[in-house]
Amino acid sequence: MNTYVTLENSPDNPAYFFLEEKKSKFIGRACHVESEEEARAFVAQVRKLEQGARHNVFAFTVCGGPVALLPVIERQSDDGEPQKTAGMPVLEVIRGAGVSDVVVVVTRYFGGTLLGTGGLVRAYTGAAQGALAEASLVRMLSCVDVQVVLPYSLYDTALYTLENSPAKILSTGFTDQVTLFFRMPEGTEGAVVDSLSDLMAGRGQLVVGDPHLAAL
C-alpha cells in the first residue's frame, strides 16, 4: 500500500523552534506544502515576517503524487551563507526524517561572532531538527472516497458493514434517504462496495471516487 509521512502543520500554523548559538539566533519553521509554488510562497512569507534577518535558509521536498509517492522535487538554498553549510544540512534533516511535501525555513539573526563552517552546519541542522520535532506528523496514503445513498431501512446493515471494515466514515446525511460518505485505503474497497451493492439491489446509489492522497 502506497504511504508516506508529512506534517499536519499548515503554512498559517507552522511548527516553530528557536536556537541560539554564540549570540546568533536561529528560528526554524516547518510546514506541509503540496507544490513547489506553495513551498516558495511559504519562504516568501517568512522573509516578509523576518525582514531584519541576515539569512532565511530553506529546503523542501515535494512528493510526486499517488503514483510515485517519492520526493521528485528537492530544492535548497544557503541564502548567502557559505556553500553547503546551511541549505543542504536542512535538506538532509528532511530526508533523514522520512517526510515529504515539507518545507523548512531557518532564519538567522547574526550575533556578531563567526561560527565557522562546522558551527553553521550544526546550528542549521539543529534548528531544522527542532522544527520537525515540534511538528505534528501524519501518515498519508492512497485512498478512495465512496458515497452511498440508500433507504433508511438499509442504514443499520450498511453501517454495520462499514464498522467492520477499514472504512473511515467522513459524514452522514439524513434527508428523505441516508447519505454515507466514507474513505478507504485504495485496494481495500472492493469487498465493501460489493456488499453494499448487493444490499441495495438497485434501491440506492453508490459512487466510488478516484484514488488520491489523504490521511486515514
Side-chain angles (χ1 to χ4, degrees):
M1 185 183 301
N2 289 330
T3 180
Y4 83 118
V5 178
T6 187
L7 308 186
E8 284 188 326
N9 303 79
S10 69
D12 292 332
N13 185 32
Y16 180 94
F17 184 78
F18 175 81
L19 172 71
E20 186 167 343
E21 183 70 25
K22 295 182 179 178
K23 297 185 179 180
S24 278
K25 296 178 174 62
F26 294 84
I27 302 168
R29 292 180 173 89
C31 68
H32 170 79
V33 291
E34 296 185 355
S35 66
E36 181 170 357
E37 291 73 22
E38 284 190 15
R40 293 192 179 278
F42 180 70
V43 175
Q45 173 183 318
V46 174
R47 282 178 172 157
K48 184 177 181 180
L49 181 66
E50 305 286 2
Q51 294 183 37
R54 177 169 291 192
H55 308 282
N56 284 289
V57 167
F58 71 83
F60 61 83
T61 67
V62 176
C63 180
V67 177
L69 286 177
L70 292 171
V72 294
I73 299 175
E74 292 186 328
R75 301 284 186 267
Q76 56 83 22
S77 170
D78 295 310
D79 195 33
E81 294 283 30
Q83 189 175 11
K84 296 184 179 180
T85 64
M88 186 54 69
V90 173
L91 181 58
E92 291 295 345
V93 169
I94 297 174
R95 289 171 174 170
V99 294
S100 190
D101 283 356
V102 168
V103 57
V104 177
V105 182
V106 179
T107 300
R108 181 191 181 191
Y109 286 89
F110 184 55
T113 301
L114 296 176
L115 301 183
T117 299
L120 286 172
V121 171
R122 285 191 299 273
Y124 279 106
T125 297
Q129 288 174 333
L132 288 181
E134 292 295 321
S136 299
L137 301 182
V138 61
R139 185 170 66 96
M140 304 286 285
L141 65 162
S142 185
C143 297
V144 293
D145 292 343
V146 182
Q147 179 176 284
V148 178
V149 181
L150 42 68
Y152 278 84
S153 60
L154 304 180
Y155 172 59
D156 287 341
T157 305
L159 187 62
Y160 178 83
T161 299
L162 295 180
E163 289 177 342
N164 288 275
S165 77
K168 177 182 179 181
I169 299 175
L170 302 178
S171 65
T172 306
F174 301 97
T175 55
D176 57 326
Q177 291 185 301
V178 180
T179 300
L180 289 165
F181 187 59
F182 62 92
R183 176 171 294 158
M184 300 189 71
E186 182 187 6
T188 68
E189 74 277 7
V192 171
V193 168
D194 289 345
S195 294
L196 292 176
S197 296
D198 291 343
L199 172 67
M200 292 187 296
R203 290 177 291 169
Q205 297 178 338
L206 190 152
V207 178
V208 180
D210 294 329
H212 63 285
L213 288 176
L216 190 64

